[in-house]
């Protein structure tokens, strides 16, 4: 409840700022945009005031390209307490003098800002953004006005590749009602079950689920086949989703219910067709069959129409004749159709039978022949008799399921644009919600990931803390291993993203006490020590193993020193061995600056890359023409810690803003985004690296199980962690009891001029950042304190507070052990 209240306060603040805009004076005096968290898209007008005398070059700069993301009234990436808003790689449409209103960059200029002169009236955005060229448009919390909607409709792609995502609104909000009314004019509809990939799934703190709007149109050059949901072929489909596509109570349907296709044929010979099959949960592919013999099954088609018409005026219903039974002629081994009917004859075609034959005589070839001979003879003597019965074995079973029959839909489009379709008796006809490319792929799911934490003897953290951290790291790593981070947008990057389709879902998390806080992995005695304590030798063919220690050290004999590193991977070469493992320093993983060293998830992905036999691209230096890692699409590079800028120190060759200024090696740009490099910019593997990982993992087939799914159905956040806490139970119980006594409160003074006192009771020494906000979410006070064990008092000057005010206090310890939010009421 507190989280939602705080989000509402933030949204109110967004609304207030939206209504006021900013002032030119404050804008001129403001700090520069944050291009460390946000990527600089280098649009030349981002830092300009709006001017009618300026003639900007509109986006996209290449007329054949598209703009990936526009955030309406966005302010760049903001992470502030329970709110995550904005995007790192977006053009942010906003008032020319608006500044960042929340978070660490408050008061700074908005990165990648496209200016509008006023929030009302003509936004003048056509000067900056070309029509029909934006793939994704988002809006978060800001009011939805008519001018906003008009610009969204003008800018969004209408070829099936456009998507509008609205955060923070319910379906009954007046802005949403207006938006949906206008979007309907361009065939955009609310896609209730749309899947949100990164970065759209990272937004947090809004009280309503995101609303996604997509075009009902699908344009195809050449031929492409789309399939609806099918749990037998796509493990990501739930039963609830499957029920979107079923016949509703077939017994109540009229046989002549009409359906049809609305679409335009773009080239001569173009065609759009729809085929519907009943779902069979027992079938290998989930499609019910017509069966003459066990070896001659065909998919049981129960509805089929096509269109080859260029007009969009009406739904076209060119039905086809559909076979409802057949036999195999053993003489020439060909199929003979038993009977056909129009595809709108739903009751006949949807018969709940796997066979085209009645039981009894029609099931046997000899009896079938006798009955046919008798029937043909009788027909000779009854020519012209309308009451003469039809061929007995032509009748198929017509027992129908009362209620719902799930169906699988196939849509084929050739040189055409599909706008809409209707299928008789089928619910969920909106093509936006269910058509997916039938490009199922093999994913290798690691059967068991065993992670052992050897906690420092001086520490004792809650199990939930470790579980949350590990789950977050693995979820992020899964995005890299399943190529969920998007496509390369920088034309300077020549390599293509490789999707390894390796997935980590099942984790055993074992928490133990280590004998020391620091282990040196290249000192044999210490290496054997942590291997023994983590039970590295106790392993099986279905397990990958990971060890976390407080500090993993490496000794440098040439200049005698010892340095704590983030992690390393020990593997036995081309073939995966049971003795292979990966080890990390959790002291660094929990505390390193992400903007300097990169995220823990990227470090995990990096070390697992070593496990799968990848090396550093910078191995061998700049002159290694083939690349130091011997992978064809990773260019050579020089220096491991290239990104650190330490003038006068060992890393003095480092550079400022490394993700904006990649080094060049013999004329080739360094692939700083590569997971196997070092630094804060990493997010993808190349196709060459993926091929090498696949060769390595396939040397141990017992390590994984294969599933065949659509890429879009893979959820990288689906991580199941089982915790086994093997630390001393009495100590754990005592410690957890102390933690429950953690408290923070404000002590108000008795006089007008006395100091306020912030009281903190903690169970251990630590450092923490404390922030205090008023009810308008304005930051009133921020301080970084050293907290002692027990009772702490911190005086605060009275000018910040009113005695009867309502305030929000956040307390975040350095190691993330606590993230407390507390309301301080009137005294």
């Amino acid at each position: 409840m507190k989280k939602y209240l705080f989000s509402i306060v933030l949204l109110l603040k967004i609304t207030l700022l939206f209504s006021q805009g900013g002032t030119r004076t404050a804008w001129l005096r403001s700090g520069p945009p944050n291009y460390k968290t946000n990527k600089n898209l280098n649009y030349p007008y981002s830092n300009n005031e709006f001017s009618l005398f300026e003639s900007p070059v509109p986006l996209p700069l290449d007329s054949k390209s598209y703009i990936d993301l526009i955030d309406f009234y966005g302010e760049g990436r903001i992470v502030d307490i329970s709110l995550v808003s904005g995007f790192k790689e977006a053009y942010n449409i906003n008032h020319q003098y608006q500044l960042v209103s929340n978070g660490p960059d408050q008061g700074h200029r908005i990165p990648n800002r496209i200016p509008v002169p006023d929030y009302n009236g003509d936004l003048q955005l056509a000067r900056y953004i070309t029509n029909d060229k934006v793939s994704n448009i988002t809006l978060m919390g800001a009011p939805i006005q008519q001018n906003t909607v008009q610009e969204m409709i003008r800018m969004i792609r209408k070829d099936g590749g456009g998507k509008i995502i609205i955060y923070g609104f319910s379906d009954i909000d007046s802005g949403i009602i207006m938006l949906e009314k206008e979007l309907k004019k361009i065939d955009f509809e609310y896609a209730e079950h749309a899947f949100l990939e990164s970065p759209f799934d990272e937004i947090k703190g809004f009280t309503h689920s995101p609303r996604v709007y997509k075009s009902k149109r699908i344009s195809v050059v050449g031929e492409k086949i789309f399939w609806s949901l099918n749990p037998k072929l796509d493990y990501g489909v739930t039963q609830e989703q499957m029920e979107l596509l079923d016949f509703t109570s077939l017994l109540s349907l009229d046989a002549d219910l009409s359906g049809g296709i609305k679409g335009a044929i773009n080239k001569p010979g173009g065609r759009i067709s729809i085929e519907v099959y009943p779902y069979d949960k027992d079938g290998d592919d989930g499609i019910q069959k017509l069966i003459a013999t066990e070896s001659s099954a065909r998919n049981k088609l129960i509805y089929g129409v096509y269109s080859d018409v260029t007009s969009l005026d009406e739904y076209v219903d060119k039905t086809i004749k559909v076979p409802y039974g057949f036999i195999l002629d053993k003489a020439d081994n060909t199929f003979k159709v038993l009977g056909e009917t129009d595809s709108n004859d739903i009751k006949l075609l949807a018969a709940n039978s796997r066979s085209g034959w009645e039981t009894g005589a029609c099931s046997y070839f000899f009896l079938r022949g006798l009955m046919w001979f008798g029937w043909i003879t009788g027909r000779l003597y009854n020519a012209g008799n309308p009451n003469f019965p039809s061929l007995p074995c032509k009748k198929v079973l017509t027992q129908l399921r009362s209620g719902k029959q799930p169906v699988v839909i196939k849509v084929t489009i050739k040189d055409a644009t599909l706008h809409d379709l209707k299928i008789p008796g089928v619910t969920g006809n909106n093509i936006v919600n269910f058509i997916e490319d039938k490009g199922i792929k093999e994913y290798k799911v690691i059967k068991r990931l065993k992670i052992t934490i050897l906690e420092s003897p001086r520490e004792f953290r809650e199990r939930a803390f470790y579980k949350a951290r590990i789950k977050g790291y693995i979820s992020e790593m899964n995005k890299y291993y399943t190529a969920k981070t998007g496509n390369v947008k920088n034309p300077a990057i020549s390599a293509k993203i490789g999707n390894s389709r390796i997935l980590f879902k099942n984790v055993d998390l074992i928490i133990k006490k280590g004998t020391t806080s620091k282990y040196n992995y290249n000192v044999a005695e210490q290496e054997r020590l942590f291997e023994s304590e983590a039970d590295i030798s106790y392993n099986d063919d279905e397990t990958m193993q990971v060890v976390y220690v407080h500090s993993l050290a490496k000794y440098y004999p040439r200049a005698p020193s010892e340095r704590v590193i983030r992690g390393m991977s020990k593997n036995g070469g081309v073939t995966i061995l049971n003795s292979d493992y990966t080890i990390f320093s959790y002291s660094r993983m929990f505390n390193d600056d992400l903007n300097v060293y990169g995220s823990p998830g990227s470090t995990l992905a990096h070390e697992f890359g070593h496990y799968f036999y990848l090396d550093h691209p910078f191995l061998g230096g700049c002159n290694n023409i083939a690349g130091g890692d011997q992978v064809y699409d990773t260019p050579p590079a020089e220096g491991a810690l290239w990104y650190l800028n330490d003038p006068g120190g060992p890393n003095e060759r480092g550079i400022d803003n490394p993700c904006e200024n990649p080094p060049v090696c013999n004329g080739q740009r360094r692939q700083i985004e590569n997971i196997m490099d070092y630094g804060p910019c990493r997010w993808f593997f190349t196709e060459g690296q993926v091929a090498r990982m696949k060769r390595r993992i396939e040397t141990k087939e017992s390590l994984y199980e294969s599933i065949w799914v659509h890429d879009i159905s893979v959820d990288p956040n689906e991580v199941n962690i089982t915790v086994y806490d093997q630390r001393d139970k009495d100590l754990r119980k005592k410690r957890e009891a102390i933690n429950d006594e953690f408290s923070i409160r404000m002590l108000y003074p008795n006089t007008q001029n006395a100091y306020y006192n912030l009281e903190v009771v903690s169970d251990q020494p630590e450092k923490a950042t404390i922030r205090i906000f008023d009810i308008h979410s304005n930051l009133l006070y921020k301080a970084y304190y050293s907290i002692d064990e027990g009772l702490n008092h911190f005086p605060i000057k009275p000018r910040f507070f009113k005695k009867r005010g309502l305030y929000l206090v956040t307390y975040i310890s350095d190691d993330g052990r606590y993230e407390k939010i507390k309301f301080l009421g009137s005294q």
Side-chain angles (χ1 to χ4, degrees):
M1 183 63 189
K2 294 176 182 177
K3 172 184 173 183
Y4 291 135
L5 180 58
F6 187 68
S7 301
I8 292 169
V9 169
L10 286 174
L11 288 175
L12 289 173
K13 181 175 180 180
I14 292 172
T15 304
L16 179 63
L17 285 169
F18 180 88
S19 64
Q20 294 176 343
T23 65
R24 186 173 187 271
T25 301
W27 182 76
L28 290 172
R29 293 176 179 175
S30 61
N34 173 1
Y35 285 124
K36 293 182 179 179
T37 301
N38 302 280
K39 183 176 180 179
N40 189 350
L41 301 180
N42 295 312
Y43 188 52
Y45 313 102
S46 292
N47 213 30
N48 291 9
E49 298 178 72
F50 178 85
S51 172
L52 287 172
F53 303 103
E54 182 181 57
S55 298
V57 178
L59 293 167
L61 301 178
D62 178 0
S63 61
K64 297 182 180 179
S65 300
Y66 293 96
I67 306 165
D68 183 61
L69 176 56
I70 293 284
D71 190 12
F72 239 108
Y73 305 120
E75 299 178 357
R77 188 63 156 186
I78 297 176
V79 180
D80 188 30
I81 311 172
S82 59
L83 176 75
V84 178
S85 65
F87 303 98
K88 298 177 182 178
E89 298 185 41
Y91 292 101
N92 299 293
I93 294 173
N94 221 313
H95 191 280
Q96 59 180 332
Y97 302 133
Q98 180 65 57
L99 301 175
V100 178
S101 58
N102 298 295
D105 300 326
Q106 185 174 10
H108 286 242
R109 293 189 182 183
I110 296 171
N112 304 309
R113 191 267 285 125
I114 293 178
V116 296
D118 194 355
Y119 288 128
N120 302 306
D122 186 358
L123 297 178
Q124 301 280 343
L125 283 171
R127 298 159 54 83
Y128 298 95
I129 305 170
T130 307
N131 295 357
D132 305 319
K133 282 293 186 177
V134 184
S135 297
N136 300 282
I137 297 178
T138 58
L139 182 144
M140 302 181 194
I144 302 174
Q145 300 185 141
Q146 186 70 39
N147 59 355
T148 309
V149 174
Q150 290 172 347
E151 285 294 344
M152 286 182 175
I153 290 174
R154 181 187 66 80
M155 295 185 297
I156 196 69
R157 292 173 59 178
K158 303 171 185 68
D159 59 354
K163 182 166 72 261
I164 295 174
I165 308 173
I166 307 295
Y167 298 85
F169 292 85
S170 71
D171 59 345
I172 61 174
D173 186 277
S174 59
I176 291 294
I177 294 172
M178 176 183 64
L179 173 67
E180 293 182 349
K181 179 181 178 181
E182 295 300 314
L183 287 179
K184 191 174 182 179
K185 297 177 182 178
I186 60 169
D187 280 340
F188 268 60
E189 289 192 355
Y190 172 49
E192 182 178 3
H193 298 277
F195 178 85
L196 285 183
E197 294 185 327
S198 176
F200 305 109
D201 61 346
E202 298 169 5
I203 304 304
K204 299 178 181 177
F206 293 90
T207 53
H208 297 286
S209 298
R211 299 185 65 81
V212 180
Y213 298 89
K214 293 183 179 181
S215 174
K216 294 167 62 177
R217 304 175 188 175
I218 297 179
S219 296
V220 174
V221 177
E223 183 175 281
K224 192 171 183 180
I225 297 175
F226 300 85
W227 288 84
S228 67
L229 307 172
N230 185 345
K232 297 295 286 191
L233 297 180
D234 189 340
Y235 293 129
V237 175
T238 65
Q239 184 62 35
E240 180 184 14
Q241 290 170 314
M242 189 65 192
E243 289 175 355
L244 292 172
L245 298 173
D246 50 27
F247 282 96
T248 56
S249 193
L250 291 174
L251 294 175
S252 66
L253 291 179
D254 295 329
D256 61 349
L257 274 172
S258 62
I261 299 168
K262 182 181 285 189
I265 306 305
N266 302 327
K267 291 183 180 180
R271 183 183 172 103
I272 305 171
S273 65
I274 300 170
E275 297 166 280
V276 181
Y277 307 96
Y279 173 66
D280 181 0
K281 65 181 179 62
D282 297 321
D284 291 338
D285 61 357
I287 296 178
Q288 206 174 110
K289 308 296 180 185
L290 282 168
I291 298 177
T293 69
E294 288 300 323
S295 62
S296 62
R298 285 185 178 180
N299 287 343
K300 183 178 181 180
L301 185 64
I302 58 175
Y303 177 73
V305 295
Y306 71 94
S307 171
D308 54 9
V309 179
T310 58
S311 172
L312 287 175
D313 293 339
E314 301 291 340
Y315 283 89
V316 177
D317 185 8
K318 292 191 173 184
T319 59
I320 61 176
K321 292 292 184 181
V322 180
Y324 57 82
F326 60 90
I327 62 172
L328 179 66
D329 189 337
K330 293 186 177 180
D332 58 4
N333 202 37
T334 59
F335 291 104
K336 306 297 183 185
V337 174
L338 177 63
E340 290 184 330
T341 188
D342 190 272
S343 69
N344 274 347
D345 193 354
I346 300 296
K347 285 194 174 183
L348 178 63
L349 294 172
N352 185 27
S353 167
R354 287 173 56 92
S355 174
W357 299 102
E358 280 190 318
T359 56
C362 291
S363 299
Y364 300 95
F365 180 80
F366 178 73
L367 293 177
R368 235 181 8 248
L370 289 177
M371 295 183 70
W372 177 84
F373 182 81
W375 179 81
I376 201 68
T377 303
R379 187 178 179 184
L380 291 174
Y381 291 94
N382 290 274
N385 181 0
N387 296 320
F388 186 76
S390 60
L391 176 65
C393 290
K394 184 178 178 181
K395 184 181 179 183
V396 297
L397 290 174
T398 55
Q399 178 185 356
L400 303 179
R401 291 184 183 178
S402 59
K404 296 181 177 182
Q405 165 66 59
V407 293
V408 179
I409 299 173
K410 176 184 178 182
V411 178
T412 305
I413 306 175
K414 179 182 178 183
D415 292 324
T417 299
L418 174 62
H419 286 245
D420 200 6
L421 59 83
K422 295 190 298 185
I423 301 172
V426 176
T427 58
N429 290 335
N430 186 351
I431 193 168
V432 176
N433 284 343
F434 68 81
I435 295 288
E436 301 293 351
D437 187 351
K438 195 180 179 179
I440 60 171
K441 305 293 184 181
E442 180 188 19
Y443 276 77
K444 293 178 170 64
V445 181
I446 301 301
K447 291 182 181 178
R448 182 168 177 258
L449 187 62
K450 185 183 79 171
I451 299 180
T452 305
I453 294 176
L454 299 179
E455 188 179 56
S456 169
R458 297 194 298 270
E459 294 181 338
F460 206 106
R461 300 174 186 266
E462 297 91 338
R463 289 169 291 186
F465 169 83
Y466 287 122
K467 183 177 180 179
R469 287 295 177 103
I470 296 301
K471 185 172 183 177
Y473 298 168
I474 295 174
S475 296
E476 182 189 355
M477 178 180 65
N478 276 340
K479 294 179 181 179
Y480 306 134
Y481 276 88
T482 58
K484 286 291 187 179
T485 51
N487 298 314
V488 175
K489 304 176 186 67
N490 188 336
I493 304 174
S494 58
K496 294 181 179 179
I497 296 176
N499 188 344
S500 70
R501 298 188 174 90
I502 298 173
L503 194 60
F504 304 86
K505 295 175 66 173
N506 303 308
V507 181
D508 286 348
L509 180 59
I510 303 167
I511 308 174
K512 297 182 176 181
K513 275 293 178 187
T515 55
T516 180
S517 62
K518 182 167 67 175
Y519 300 83
N520 192 315
Y521 82 85
N522 57 352
V523 174
E525 182 179 348
Q526 294 187 34
E527 184 176 5
R528 286 194 295 268
L529 179 62
F530 69 68
E531 288 182 349
S532 173
E533 292 177 354
D535 283 336
I536 294 297
S537 60
Y538 184 69
N539 194 22
D540 57 42
D541 289 335
E542 299 182 348
T543 302
M544 278 181 63
Q545 28 189 8
V546 178
V547 181
Y548 279 89
V549 299
H550 181 276
S551 298
L552 179 66
K554 182 177 181 180
Y555 181 70
Y556 294 85
R558 283 184 293 181
S561 64
E562 192 176 68
R563 180 168 64 90
V564 174
I565 64 173
R566 266 191 157 196
M568 57 85 65
S569 185
K570 181 174 182 179
N571 62 60
V574 176
T575 303
I576 296 178
L577 305 176
N578 283 354
S579 58
D580 293 347
Y581 64 87
T582 307
I583 182 168
F584 299 96
S585 298
Y586 68 74
S587 61
R588 291 202 57 184
M589 295 282 272
F590 294 168
N591 299 306
D592 272 351
D593 186 344
L594 275 61
N595 293 320
V596 176
Y597 296 98
S599 63
S602 66
T603 297
L604 205 65
H606 176 103
E607 296 303 335
F608 277 27
H610 287 315
Y611 181 96
F612 294 127
Y613 208 46
L614 296 183
D615 221 322
H616 299 128
F618 53 78
L619 187 69
C622 191
N623 295 321
N624 194 322
I625 298 176
D629 58 353
Q630 302 301 307
V631 177
Y632 71 91
D633 54 0
T634 58
E638 185 173 25
L641 304 179
W642 62 275
Y643 55 94
L644 294 177
N645 191 7
D646 182 18
N651 300 313
E652 62 180 346
R653 293 166 58 189
I655 55 179
D656 291 322
N657 300 324
C659 296
E660 309 298 326
N661 303 291
V664 176
C665 171
N666 291 332
Q668 287 186 284
R669 175 190 182 277
R670 184 173 185 138
Q671 203 176 79
I672 57 176
E673 298 85 0
N674 196 292
I675 288 290
M676 298 311 296
D677 205 325
Y678 284 170
C681 320
R682 304 172 296 181
W683 62 271
F684 77 84
F685 293 107
T686 68
E687 290 182 336
Q689 288 174 316
V690 164
R692 189 168 182 174
M693 285 195 285
K694 286 183 176 179
R695 288 195 296 270
R696 158 85 167 174
I697 193 174
E698 287 169 359
T699 65
K700 191 176 182 182
E701 294 184 359
S702 61
L703 189 64
Y704 61 87
E705 62 180 2
S706 293
I707 61 173
W708 292 84
V709 298
H710 292 115
D711 286 334
I712 197 170
S713 71
V714 174
D715 181 3
N717 301 306
E718 187 183 341
V719 181
N720 306 309
I721 298 183
T722 305
V723 181
Y724 301 92
D725 194 342
Q726 299 180 6
R727 296 172 295 182
D728 183 270
K729 293 182 179 179
D730 292 335
L731 179 61
R732 180 166 72 244
K733 183 176 180 181
K734 179 181 178 182
R735 183 72 180 199
E736 290 177 350
I738 293 174
N739 287 342
D740 289 339
E741 295 175 7
F742 177 90
S743 67
I744 180 171
R745 63 174 179 157
M746 182 83 80
L747 301 179
Y748 290 78
N750 294 324
T751 65
Q752 183 68 27
N753 298 320
Y755 276 62
Y756 290 71
N757 276 292
L758 192 68
E759 180 186 275
V760 178
V761 178
S762 180
D763 57 295
Q764 69 175 35
E766 61 188 353
K767 295 183 183 296
T769 300
I770 296 177
R771 295 182 178 90
I772 303 178
F773 301 82
D774 65 14
I775 60 172
H776 302 296
S777 76
N778 295 312
L779 180 64
L780 303 179
Y781 181 81
K782 177 181 176 181
Y784 184 68
Y785 290 120
S786 293
I787 310 295
D788 295 325
E789 184 175 359
L791 182 64
N792 299 261
H793 281 108
F794 303 104
I796 303 176
K797 292 182 179 180
R799 63 186 176 88
F800 290 108
F801 304 104
K802 297 179 181 179
K803 189 171 184 180
R804 297 195 177 277
L806 179 64
Y807 304 102
L808 177 84
V809 175
T810 67
Y811 176 102
I812 303 178
S813 61
D814 267 6
D815 62 3
R817 193 169 64 94
Y818 291 109
E819 294 186 5
K820 298 289 186 181
I821 298 178
K822 185 175 179 65
F823 284 89
L824 303 177
S826 301
Q827 299 289 316

